[in-house]
Amino acid sequence: IDKAPVTVIGLGPMGQAMVRSYLAAGHPVTVWNRTASRADDLVAEGARLAASPSEAVAASGLTILSLTDYAAMYAILDGVGDVLSGRVVANISSDSPERTREAGAWLADRGARLLTGGIMVPAPMVGTEQSYVFYSGPKEVMDAQHDTLAVIGRPDYRGADLGLAQLWYQANLDVFLTMLSAFAHASALLGSAGVRSAELVPYATETLNLAGYFLEPSAAAIDSGDHSDQGANVAMMSATTDHIVEASREVGIDLVLPRAIQEHYHRAIERGHGGDSWTSLIEVIRKP
Ligand code: NDP
């Protein structure tokens, strides 16, 4: 059976990887990019370059956007005219949940339906088994596009509220980016003693595995609101954050990250959580 035509607008590393996945799966692919030369290799591999955004949107029932942010969507689609009417746009670009909701209303005014997406793997992993994408938007649109969207990664539908895909995406990147900054900071801390970052890797991996093991009981405490001490109370953890700040100060490296974490603990103590589990930090974070 014929595969559905797909349009991809935005040919950064991510958009290019998406196009290659669709070409490999046998879909007719139309592309457009502000900087047209970024389509050269893809055209050689079988994609069709549209002369304008409106021609690109007109070529397929589904247009996938892979752009820096949602502002880029308006820059590209403002002025395409009636061509959006009756089509589906899957915007798999990063932005705030509120901006993605506004985009839904903007597209609805033009007769188009929006799915929002957040892709959870780096470009080289697009289309592989590990690839998955958070989606939100109208369920019937998701169901209709499911198989086509599955080509770039397993769709993980989070609900009708358009903001949900980015909320899930940002929540996971919150964890990921904080972890990467912590790793850079830890490398600088050990680097002050001439230790190479590579030597930290097996230990940091072990620490991350341990953190993973912490998550389930921590989530249970956060969800139930029962922050009784399970052996890692705020007062003890707070002293450790003080020591990380001191160790960092002694060697003259940046203090922003350890100070932020220290502040969570200090505030929790101020609010009387010293003897509670560290999970009581959620109260300070929810209501700063
Ligand atoms: P890039 O920043 O490399 O690509 C951005 C694309 O947006 C380019 O095609 C660029 O066009 C276009 N663009 C930006 N601003 C405008 C504008 N004002 N008008 C028209 N076009 C514009 O990003 P990636 O491909 O790396 O990522 C795309 C999305 O995927 C992002 O939202 C990113 O957060 C997300 N993502 C990326 C991952 C990755 O590993 N790369 C991983 C997970 C998510 P031009 O070529 O002309 O500059």
Side-chain angles (χ1 to χ4, degrees), residues 180-195 200 241-260 262:
L180 293 184
S181 278
F183 181 71
H185 188 272
S187 293
L189 190 60
L190 276 174
S192 70
V195 179
L200 171 60
T241 69
D242 295 343
H243 303 152
I244 297 170
V245 170
E246 270 320 299
S248 304
R249 199 195 312 277
E250 285 171 8
V251 297
I253 65 170
D254 183 67
L255 299 177
V256 168
L257 185 62
R259 268 203 187 131
Q262 179 189 44

Side-chain angles (χ1 to χ4, degrees), residues 9-18 32-38 65-76 91-95 117-124 126 166 169 173:
I9 294 180
L11 301 175
M14 189 50 84
Q16 297 203 16
M18 290 175 178
W32 187 86
N33 195 57
R34 178 179 59 181
T35 309
S37 59
R38 286 183 108 170
L65 304 179
S66 178
L67 302 164
T68 306
D69 53 23
Y70 273 58
M73 178 191 89
Y74 300 113
I76 294 167
N91 194 337
I92 311 180
S93 312
S94 175
D95 217 316
I119 185 156
M120 292 306 298
V121 292
V126 169
Q166 284 302 307
Y169 177 78
L173 285 168

Side-chain angles (χ1 to χ4, degrees), residues 34-166:
R34 178 179 59 181
T35 309
S37 59
R38 286 183 108 170
D40 290 351
D41 290 349
L42 299 170
V43 168
E45 292 166 41
R48 198 178 70 82
L49 176 64
S52 65
S54 65
E55 193 184 303
V57 171
S60 314
L62 171 67
T63 291
I64 294 175
L65 304 179
S66 178
L67 302 164
T68 306
D69 53 23
Y70 273 58
M73 178 191 89
Y74 300 113
I76 294 167
L77 294 184
D78 201 16
V80 298
D82 295 341
V83 80
L84 280 166
S85 184
R87 302 190 193 270
V88 173
V89 173
N91 194 337
I92 311 180
S93 312
S94 175
D95 217 316
S96 78
E98 197 47 41
R99 293 215 183 93
T100 70
R101 293 186 189 106
E102 289 162 11
W106 190 87
L107 284 164
D109 282 347
R110 287 152 183 80
R113 310 202 73 188
L114 175 65
L115 290 172
T116 52
I119 185 156
M120 292 306 298
V121 292
M125 280 169 70
V126 169
T128 65
E129 288 263 298
Q130 292 99 313
S131 180
Y132 72 102
V133 186
F134 290 124
Y135 286 102
S136 54
K139 175 82 164 65
E140 66 279 12
V141 180
M142 183 72 238
D143 289 343
Q145 301 298 334
H146 179 280
D147 293 354
T148 304
L149 290 171
V151 168
I152 54 174
R154 178 175 51 81
D156 191 330
Y157 178 68
R158 306 315 305 181
D161 170 4
L162 284 167
L164 285 171
Q166 284 302 307

